[in-house]
Amino acid sequence: MLLSCFAWVRNHLTYSGRQHLSFLHILAVVFLCLIPAVPLYAETISGTVLDPSGAVVSGARIEITGEGLEQAIVLLSDAQGKFNSPEVKAGSYSLRVEREGFEALIKTVELKGAVRLQLTLAIAEAQVTINVVGKNLAFVNSDPLYRQLRGIGLGQTYRFANYTLTADVGTFRFEKGTLTELNPVDGVESGAIFIGDGHFSLNPVLRVDAREIERRTGSAEMNEDFTEIIFRFTRDAWSKFEPALGEKVGTPAEASAAYSHWRDRMRERREHPLGFTQFLLQGETMDNVDADLMAALYNPSHPSFFNAYLRGRKHKDLRFFVRTRVGALPQLDSPEEVGLVNCDPEGMDDGVWYLAHLQSEYANGTANSGEDRRLFATSHYKIETVISKNGHLFSTATITFKPLVAGERVLKFGLLPNLRVMRVSDERGQALQWIQESRKEDGSFYVILPQPPGAGTKQSITVEYAGNKVVEQAGDGSFYVSARESWYPNLNGFGERALYDLTYKVPHRYKVISVGKLRSESTEDDFAVTHWLTPTAVAVAGFNYGEYKKIELPDDKTGYKISGYYLQELPDSLRRYSALRSMAPGSMTKYALEQTRAQLQLCTLYFGKSPYEYISITEQPNFNFGQSWPNLVYLPISAYMDSTQRWMLFGGINNKFTGFVQEVTPHEVAHQWWGHAVGWASYHDQWLSEGFAEFSAGLFLQQVMGKDWRKDYIEFWERLRLRILEKNNFGVAPNDAGPLWMGMRLVSPRTQNAYQNVTYPKGAFILAMMRSMMYSSQDQDKAFVAMMHEFVESHRDHMATTESFKAVAEKHMTKLMDLQKNGRLDWFFSEWVYGTQIPKYHFEYQLSPGEGGKVKLHMVVTQSDVDEHFAMLVPVFADFGSGMVPIVQVGMAGSSTRNIDVILPGQPKKVALNAYKEILER
C-alpha cells in the first residue's frame, strides 16, 4: 500500500446564521443614505488578553480584519495585557490573537458600538518551545500583498440579474440579485459575492463522467438552484461579470454574512475529517486561498483559476473549480482542470462529483493524465533531522528546484501543519518570507521568493522547522511513524522524483531505518547519528524508528541485499492479549525475509530488475496496515504472528485475515516495482500500482508456494472477487460505485470502501486476465513477461498512465486478442477499466471417443448479464492427471451461448471453465 487509510470521526458542524437588522437599525441606515457619502469611523475594539490562570499576557499580537478595512490592523497588548484599536466603522470583524507558547485564538465581532473584550488564550498543545521571534517574525505571514488579501473587505455592490456566465462545462444563470465586489488588491479584482436567485448546471463531456453525475444526482446533468455564491478568481475573470453590472446599490447584510461564513470555512483545518471532502479540502494539504491568489498577483502569467462556492437550495456547500496547470483538485494528484465537489460531510451526498479536463482539451485531443501540473521541479533534498527524547522533531531541509512556469515566485509545500517553520533562507543565508497560518487554520506552508528565478535556473532554499505528531510512542521501544509523506517540506509529492541526502540524530537506544543507502554511523553525546543517500532519484523519503534488532539474508541469485528489523516488545495496544505473549519476532522476521527474497526473485523474472540493490523489511506496531517506500517496507505486527497465535487471538480461523497475512509481504515487496520503479501519473492510474502489486501477491502464491499452491491461489482470487461484488449495508457493491478508472472518486458515504475494493482487486484481475489471454502452451508466459519488462523499462524515467500501459500491451497482444481486427485493445479497456459490467458464465461439457484413440470434447458456454458489445476470451482447462492445464480460449460476445467442439489427445479427469478463477465473473 502506498497511501494511508483514512479514519473519519463523526462530529457536529455549526453554521452561523444570518444577522437580522432591527427596525431602528433600518431607519438609521435610511437616514445615513440621505447625508453626503463620507466614511464614518466612530467605534473601537478594545480588550485584555489573559492566560488560563487569569494573568495578563503582554506582547500578544492582535490582528483585526474585516469589511471596510483595506488592510489588516495589527496591535500588540501592553504590559497590562490591554489593546485598543483605532476607530473603525460598524460591521463584521475577525480578531486573531497570537502569543508564543499559546494556541492562536480567533474571535468574530459584530461591531454596532464600542466593544471591550476579554480574550483568554489556551496553552499550546505542543510541549516544545518553537521560537519565531525577533527579526524572523517579520518574515512570516507578513507579505504586504498577502496581508491585503487576508484582510480584504467588501467593495461596491451592483444590481445583477438576467445574465448567463459560462465557465467550461459549468453554467451560471443569475435571475435576480446583487453582486458585491471584493476590494481590489494591487489594482486587481479577485472576488465577488452574489446574493439572490439563480441556477447552476453542469453538462459533462465524457460518458463516464455523466454516469458519475447520474450516480450522485439521479440525472446525467447536474442542476441546482442557488441563493448565494462566493467567487474567487485570478486576473481577467472580473471582466466576465462586467457586462451585467447594473446600478450601484447598498451592500446587503447577507453579503457580509456570507463572506464571513465562507472565510471561516476556508480557514478551518480538520485534523480529524468527518468525510472524504473534508479530508481533501480541509486536511493537512488544504489550500490557503489567499496565498494562492497572492501567487497569481505576483505573476501575471500564473495559471488562471476560477472558484465558485455555491449555497444551493438542496446542496448547501457546492464548490466548482476551473484551475489550469495545477489541477482543480491538486490533492488528488491530477492535472484535470475542472471539478465539482459537494461538501456534505455529515450527509449522504458528500463526494467529488466531477473532475475532468477542459472542454477544449477533449475537443483537440490533448487531454492526458500525464500532463505536467508542476510549477517547479525539485531535483535534490538535503534534510538533517533530530528526534528528541520526547519524540519532537527538529529539522533543517535544503531544497533545490527550478521553475517550470515563467515568473513564478510562490512555492507551496506539503508539510504537516503541526511542524512549525522557524526560518526560511536563500543560498546566501538571506531570510525569505513565508506563509504558515495556525495548524488549526489553513496552515499550509508557502515560500515567497523575492524575484522569479530565471528559466531553467536551479535555486535552493533552506527551511528550519520543528514540532510533533511525526513519531508517536506506541510502547516500550516502538513508535508510530505517522506523517510519512509530510514530515519534510515536499514540493510535488509522488508527482516527481528527486535525490535525497538524509541525516538523522536520535537517542542512542533507537535505530532509524531510512530510504536510501546507509553511508555512515556515529555517536554524538547521547545520540546515534546516521547518514543516508539515495543513489537514484525517488518519489518520496521516509523512515522507520524504534528499538530494533537486525537480521540479514543473502540473495545469491539476484544480488539484492536484504535486511530485516524487528521489535522485541509488544506495543501497548496489544499487551493485554495473552495469545501474543509467545510471539517470536526474530524467527518470524527470518520467515518474512525468506518471503521477501522469493518475491524479489519472482518479480525480477517477470518484471525486470528493480532500481534498488537493497531492501529493508521493518516491523511496525500498526496491526493491519502495510506500506512500501523505496527500498523500505513497513510490515504490520500481525505479519509476525504465526497461525496458532492468530487462531487464539480470533478464537478460530479467520479466512480473510489469514489471506491478508499471506499476501501482505509479497504485496508490499512488489511495490518496489509498482509505485516506485514505475510511478503513476494521476488518481486514474493508481490501479497500475495497487492492482499490479495485488496481482504480484497472487503470482507469489502460484509460483512460490510449491506443489500445494492451487488451493491458496484459487482462494486468493475468490477473495478478490467477493471484495468487488459483495454488497454493503446500503445494498451497494464496490463495483456498482463506478469504474476502476474513477479511483478515489469512488468514495462516498454509501461506498466508503469502494476505492480499496475496486482499485486493488479489479486492478489485479485485469493483469491476470491479460496474462491468461497471452498464455500459450508452447511459450507459456513469454509474451506476458516481455510486455511487463518493456512496461517497466519504458517508465523508469516518467510516470505511467492507463493509456501508456495500454500502448505497451498492444505491442505484445496475441492475434487472438485482436477482437476488433485493428491491433488495439479498446474493447478490453472499455469493459474492465472504464466500464462496470461483469459477466456470468455457465459451462457444460460432454466427452466422447474420437478417432485414433483421441477424445472429442463438446462444450456449451453461456455468457450473460452483459450488453451486446461486451466481449471476452475465457480459458477452458482440462486435468489429464497432473492438475488443470489450459486447452483453449473461447471467444464470447454479448449475452449468448456457444457450442464448441475440441479434439483432446486423451481422456481428461475433468474439464472446467476458468478453473483458477483468474477471469472476473459473477
Side-chain angles (χ1 to χ4, degrees):
M1 183 182 210
L2 288 173
L3 291 178
S4 303
C5 297
F6 315 133
W8 296 324
V9 181
R10 279 224 173 285
N11 286 312
H12 291 290
L13 279 178
T14 56
Y15 293 90
S16 58
R18 294 179 181 176
Q19 300 295 322
H20 296 279
L21 295 177
S22 69
F23 178 69
L24 289 177
H25 283 116
I26 294 172
L27 284 180
V29 171
V30 171
F31 174 74
L32 289 173
C33 289
L34 297 177
I35 64 176
V38 295
L40 296 178
Y41 296 89
E43 311 299 350
T44 61
I45 302 173
S46 61
T48 307
V49 183
L50 307 173
D51 70 13
S53 71
V56 299
V57 176
S58 62
R61 183 179 187 271
I62 301 100
E63 180 184 281
I64 303 173
T65 58
E67 59 188 65
L69 293 178
E70 292 187 0
Q71 61 184 36
I73 297 172
V74 179
L75 310 168
L76 291 177
S77 59
D78 61 18
Q80 288 76 44
K82 298 184 183 299
F83 66 92
N84 193 53
S85 78
E87 291 183 339
V88 293
K89 62 184 179 182
S92 297
Y93 294 90
S94 177
L95 278 72
R96 176 185 172 87
V97 186
E98 293 177 317
R99 184 67 167 92
E100 181 187 341
F102 297 91
E103 297 283 358
L105 173 67
I106 298 174
K107 176 78 172 176
T108 300
V109 175
E110 290 294 331
L111 189 62
K112 300 173 183 176
V115 171
R116 184 165 186 80
L117 304 171
Q118 183 170 296
L119 303 173
T120 302
L121 302 182
I123 300 296
E125 178 181 318
Q127 300 303 308
V128 60
T129 301
I130 299 171
N131 295 310
V132 186
V133 296
K135 62 182 181 181
N136 285 340
L137 188 61
F139 292 91
V140 55
N141 303 334
S142 59
D143 177 87
L145 203 58
Y146 177 73
R147 296 279 16 119
Q148 289 185 59
L149 288 162
R150 200 70 176 169
I152 196 170
L154 306 190
Q156 184 62 59
T157 298
Y158 305 87
R159 292 202 187 280
F160 198 72
N162 300 319
Y163 184 62
T164 299
L165 184 151
T166 59
D168 200 76
V169 293
T171 301
F172 300 84
R173 175 64 186 171
F174 303 95
E175 302 294 345
K176 61 178 180 178
T178 62
L179 189 73
T180 302
E181 63 179 330
L182 299 182
N183 284 326
V185 174
D186 204 27
V188 177
E189 305 279 359
S190 67
I193 305 161
F194 175 81
I195 301 294
D197 296 319
H199 183 81
F200 172 75
S201 62
L202 186 151
N203 190 9
V205 178
L206 300 182
R207 186 172 63 177
V208 66
D209 291 313
R211 286 198 298 261
E212 175 66 4
I213 290 288
E214 186 170 10
R215 176 173 82 96
R216 303 282 190 167
T217 69
S219 172
E221 181 177 329
M222 165 66 191
N223 286 281
E224 179 81 14
D225 292 330
F226 58 78
T227 57
E228 67 182 49
I229 305 181
I230 308 294
F231 293 100
R232 299 309 303 267
F233 41 71
T234 51
R235 294 176 182 269
D236 303 329
W238 175 247
S239 62
K240 294 183 178 182
F241 296 90
E242 287 180 320
L245 296 180
E247 63 179 325
K248 293 181 180 180
V249 295
T251 300
E254 292 90 345
S256 175
Y259 182 65
S260 178
H261 177 53
W262 171 85
R263 187 178 56 198
D264 290 343
R265 282 183 292 134
M266 293 302 105
R267 297 179 183 181
E268 180 189 22
R269 175 186 169 231
R270 288 279 183 163
E271 188 169 358
H272 303 289
L274 303 181
F276 181 53
T277 61
Q278 275 195 356
F279 167 80
L280 288 179
L281 301 177
Q282 293 178 260
E284 68 179 44
T285 59
M286 70 181 293
D287 290 327
N288 178 326
V289 177
D290 302 310
D292 290 338
L293 285 163
M294 175 189 67
L297 290 173
Y298 272 132
N299 180 15
S301 301
H302 185 82
S304 63
F305 66 82
F306 179 88
N307 297 351
Y309 305 83
L310 299 85
R311 181 175 178 82
R313 294 196 179 275
K314 182 178 181 181
H315 301 99
K316 305 305 181 184
D317 190 358
L318 285 168
R319 305 184 189 184
F320 176 73
F321 306 120
V322 181
R323 200 169 178 183
T324 60
R325 183 73 186 200
V326 298
L329 285 175
Q331 295 86 350
L332 275 181
D333 291 332
S334 170
E336 292 167 313
E337 298 88 352
V338 188
L340 177 68
V341 180
N342 181 45
C343 300
D344 187 14
E346 293 189 292
M348 299 306 295
D349 294 327
D350 185 69
V352 179
W353 286 10
Y354 184 80
L355 193 57
H357 291 280
L358 296 166
Q359 280 182 311
S360 58
E361 291 187 352
Y362 290 121
N364 59 30
T366 59
N368 186 350
S369 292
E371 293 173 23
D372 196 345
R373 60 186 185 84
R374 299 172 298 165
L375 301 177
F376 296 87
T378 313
S379 59
H380 190 269
Y381 291 85
K382 182 178 182 181
I383 307 172
E384 298 177 359
T385 298
V386 177
I387 300 176
S388 66
K389 292 180 180 179
N390 66 357
H392 285 89
L393 182 141
F394 302 82
S395 285
T396 300
T398 299
I399 305 113
T400 303
F401 58 89
K402 65 180 180 181
L404 299 177
V405 174
E408 287 299 314
R409 288 181 51 193
V410 179
L411 302 92
K412 181 187 178 184
F413 292 91
L415 182 68
L416 184 72
N418 288 75
L419 297 173
R420 309 307 297 172
V421 175
M422 298 181 290
R423 188 172 190 268
V424 183
S425 56
D426 64 14
E427 294 164 315
R428 298 172 298 167
Q430 298 295 311
L432 299 178
Q433 296 202 353
W434 78 91
I435 306 296
Q436 191 187 36
E437 299 291 347
S438 159
R439 66 179 180 82
K440 292 185 177 181
E441 295 183 275
D442 46 347
S444 293
F445 172 48
Y446 296 74
V447 172
I448 307 168
L449 304 176
Q451 297 293 332
T457 303
K458 283 192 175 181
Q459 191 166 325
S460 296
I461 61 170
T462 298
V463 181
E464 300 170 30
Y465 59 99
N468 62 356
K469 297 295 179 84
V470 174
V471 295
E472 299 180 75
Q473 192 89 30
D476 184 15
S478 64
F479 296 85
Y480 299 108
V481 180
S482 302
R484 296 186 181 178
E485 299 164 51
S486 56
W487 66 276
Y488 63 96
N490 192 321
L491 191 57
N492 291 307
F494 281 93
E496 70 178 3
R497 293 172 178 167
L499 295 169
Y500 286 82
D501 181 334
L502 305 164
T503 300
Y504 304 90
K505 182 177 178 180
V506 302
H508 76 278
R509 68 176 283 203
Y510 301 126
K511 284 185 184 294
V512 166
I513 307 99
S514 175
V515 162
K517 186 173 184 178
L518 180 63
R519 290 298 187 183
S520 65
E521 293 182 273
S522 62
T523 57
E524 186 178 315
D525 298 327
D526 199 28
F527 286 83
V529 182
T530 56
H531 181 212
W532 308 72
L533 294 173
T534 60
T536 59
V538 296
V540 66
F543 63 92
N544 212 348
Y545 173 65
E547 191 170 6
Y548 282 103
K549 297 294 181 183
K550 181 180 179 181
I551 299 176
E552 293 184 330
L553 184 71
D555 184 0
D556 298 331
K557 233 180 219 187
T558 63
Y560 293 119
K561 297 176 178 64
I562 307 170
S563 301
Y565 296 83
Y566 65 92
L567 300 164
Q568 298 182 88
E569 300 291 336
L570 286 171
D572 292 343
S573 61
L574 296 178
R575 284 183 178 276
R576 66 183 184 273
Y577 297 106
S578 59
L580 303 182
R581 292 173 189 162
S582 62
M583 280 184 65
S587 61
M588 292 303 291
T589 297
K590 292 178 182 176
Y591 176 67
L593 295 187
E594 289 168 356
Q595 284 188 308
T596 299
R597 178 170 62 184
Q599 183 68 326
L600 289 171
Q601 292 173 358
L602 180 64
C603 290
T604 300
L605 174 64
Y606 270 79
F607 313 135
K609 185 73 174 174
S610 162
Y612 317 112
E613 297 176 354
Y614 37 85
I615 188 169
S616 297
I617 307 299
T618 65
E619 178 189 355
Q620 62 177 353
N622 306 70
F623 187 74
N624 60 352
F625 167 57
Q627 200 169 37
S628 183
W629 262 203
N631 72 263
L632 172 64
V633 172
Y634 305 82
L635 287 184
I637 194 170
S638 57
Y640 294 78
M641 299 176 187
D642 62 30
S643 58
T644 301
Q645 290 156 351
R646 294 197 302 271
W647 188 90
M648 294 175 65
L649 184 65
F650 289 105
I653 297 174
N654 185 310
N655 290 327
K656 286 186 177 180
F657 193 74
T658 298
F660 168 77
V661 173
Q662 278 183 331
E663 300 157 23
V664 64
T665 300
H667 176 104
E668 299 303 343
V669 170
H671 271 309
Q672 300 302 298
W673 282 262
W674 313 126
H676 296 308
V678 179
W680 72 91
S682 82
Y683 72 98
H684 288 304
D685 314 302
Q686 202 165 348
W687 70 275
L688 299 172
S689 170
E690 298 297 357
F692 283 24
E694 195 79 343
F695 165 85
S696 303
L699 189 67
F700 176 90
L701 295 176
Q702 183 192 49
Q703 300 291 321
V704 175
M705 300 305 288
K707 63 180 180 179
D708 297 326
W709 61 270
R710 290 175 177 83
K711 180 177 180 293
D712 286 342
Y713 187 66
I714 291 171
E715 288 178 354
F716 169 82
W717 290 111
E718 178 63 11
R719 280 196 303 273
L720 266 57
R721 187 185 75 86
L722 292 176
R723 285 175 63 183
I724 297 167
L725 295 176
E726 276 189 335
K727 293 184 177 181
N728 61 19
N729 293 335
F730 293 101
V732 182
N735 189 71
D736 299 335
L740 171 71
W741 185 77
M742 300 294 285
M744 292 293 292
R745 287 170 58 193
L746 296 172
V747 176
S748 76
R750 292 181 179 84
T751 57
Q752 282 199 1
N753 295 321
Y755 165 74
Q756 295 95 321
N757 289 330
V758 172
T759 301
Y760 288 67
K762 197 170 183 181
F765 264 112
I766 287 173
L767 203 54
M769 290 188 288
M770 295 188 74
R771 180 189 178 208
S772 171
M773 292 188 294
M774 299 174 83
Y775 185 89
S776 74
S777 56
Q778 294 79 24
D779 296 326
Q780 298 184 331
D781 279 328
K782 183 177 180 180
F784 177 78
V785 169
M787 175 184 75
M788 300 307 290
H789 275 244
E790 180 175 345
F791 180 54
V792 172
E793 283 302 318
S794 62
H795 288 84
R796 288 191 187 274
D797 297 323
H798 64 278
M799 302 300 176
T801 68
T802 298
E803 287 299 314
S804 71
F805 171 64
K806 178 173 173 283
V808 172
E810 287 169 346
K811 292 171 64 176
H812 296 271
M813 63 189 282
T814 65
K815 290 183 178 180
L816 200 60
M817 294 168 69
D818 191 9
L819 298 186
Q820 296 174 303
K821 306 303 179 187
N822 60 1
R824 297 176 62 86
L825 287 171
D826 297 346
W827 66 273
F828 182 81
F829 279 76
S830 294
E831 292 168 4
W832 297 107
V833 178
Y834 304 112
T836 58
Q837 294 186 82
I838 295 178
K840 185 176 182 180
Y841 291 105
H842 180 74
F843 180 70
E844 297 177 359
Y845 71 93
Q846 292 177 336
L847 297 170
S848 59
E851 296 179 1
K854 296 183 179 181
V855 175
K856 181 180 178 182
L857 170 63
H858 176 73
M859 299 176 288
V860 181
V861 183
T862 299
Q863 177 175 271
S864 60
D865 289 8
V866 292
D867 65 24
E868 68 274 17
H869 303 293
F870 189 95
M872 191 57 198
L873 292 174
V874 190
V876 177
F877 293 77
D879 183 358
F880 295 99
S882 301
M884 288 287 186
V885 294
I887 57 173
V888 68
Q889 298 265 8
V890 178
M892 300 297 298
S895 291
S896 62
T897 297
R898 284 194 65 189
N899 289 268
I900 306 106
D901 292 316
V902 176
I903 301 299
L904 301 178
Q907 181 79 16
K909 295 170 63 176
K910 185 179 180 181
V911 179
L913 187 79
N914 193 22
Y916 293 118
K917 305 302 180 185
E918 297 157 315
I919 307 301
L920 179 57
E921 61 174 306
R922 292 194 180 275

